[in-house]
Amino acid sequence: MSWDSPEVIVAGAVGLLSVAIAVWSVIVSMRANARASKANQNADHANRLADEANSIAKSALEHQQRYAPSPWGPVERDGDRKFRVENRSGRAINVLELTARPGDSADALIFRSSAGSLIDYGDALHFLVDPSITQNPQEIEVAWVYADETAMEWEYLYRTIPPR
C-alpha cells in the first residue's frame, strides 16, 4: 500500500478529523468546567450570604422577642378590692388557669373571669381580693395561650398585686 492510495488518504483524513474532534471536545470541556467552577464559586458565595442573612434574622427575632412589649399589662386596681390585667397582645387570649401566690393565699382571690375565658384584645382579666382572708396574695399566675394558636405549651404570666 502506498502513501498516495485512496485508503491511506481516507484513513489519514479520518484520523485528522478524529484529532480535531478530540481537540474541540477538550476545549468545550474546559469551557464547561470553567463555567461550572464559576457557578460553584457563586453558589458558595450565595450560601455564605444566606448563612449571614439567617444569622441576622435569628438575632433580630431574639431581639424582637426580648424587647417586645408584654402581651399583658400590669395589675391595676379597679376599685377597693377589684383588680384587672389588660390584654395588650393585639390578639385574643384563652386563660387556662389562674393561681394566687403564695399558695396559702389562694382562697383570697375570687376570679371574675373564669378559667377557659376568652380575653379579647383590649379587654381585661378581672379578679377580686377577699378582705376577710388574713393572708393576702402577693402575685397572680395566669396560664394562657393565644386563641388563634393550637399551642402545645402554655405561656405563663406572673404579676404582682398592688398592696392595699
Side-chain angles (χ1 to χ4, degrees):
M1 210 187 291
S2 91
W3 287 103
D4 57 353
S5 73
E7 293 86 19
V8 172
I9 293 173
V10 169
V14 168
L16 284 175
L17 183 60
S18 295
V19 169
I21 290 173
V23 168
W24 181 251
S25 294
V26 167
I27 292 170
V28 169
S29 176
M30 288 174 54
R31 287 182 183 169
N33 285 341
R35 288 186 193 128
S37 176
K38 182 66 175 171
N40 283 338
Q41 289 173 355
N42 289 342
D44 288 342
H45 182 67
N47 285 337
R48 282 191 300 277
L49 291 177
D51 288 343
E52 191 175 319
N54 286 338
S55 175
I56 291 169
K58 182 179 178 184
S59 175
L61 178 61
E62 289 170 358
H63 281 31
Q64 178 185 11
Q65 290 172 339
R66 184 178 306 133
Y67 298 111
S70 171
W72 292 94
V75 174
E76 298 171 341
R77 196 172 281 281
D78 194 22
D80 181 40
R81 55 187 203 126
K82 295 186 232 174
F83 296 89
R84 66 189 305 273
V85 183
E86 184 180 352
N87 172 2
R88 297 180 178 176
S89 69
R91 299 161 65 183
I93 289 177
N94 278 327
V95 174
L96 305 171
E97 193 174 278
L98 310 162
T99 311
R101 294 165 53 128
D104 55 351
S105 64
D107 292 337
L109 287 185
I110 302 166
F111 291 98
R112 292 176 20 199
S113 304
S114 62
S117 292
L118 180 69
I119 310 293
D120 285 321
Y121 169 64
D123 288 345
L125 170 68
H126 297 274
F127 63 95
L128 301 169
V129 175
D130 185 350
S132 67
I133 306 294
T134 56
Q135 176 68 27
N136 285 328
Q138 298 170 0
E139 186 177 60
I140 61 166
E141 176 183 344
V142 180
W144 61 276
V145 294
Y146 286 113
D148 58 356
E149 290 182 2
T150 54
M152 297 303 287
E153 292 186 28
W154 296 358
E155 300 278 345
Y156 288 91
L157 162 74
Y158 301 94
R159 288 289 188 264
T160 302
I161 299 173
R164 292 185 195 182

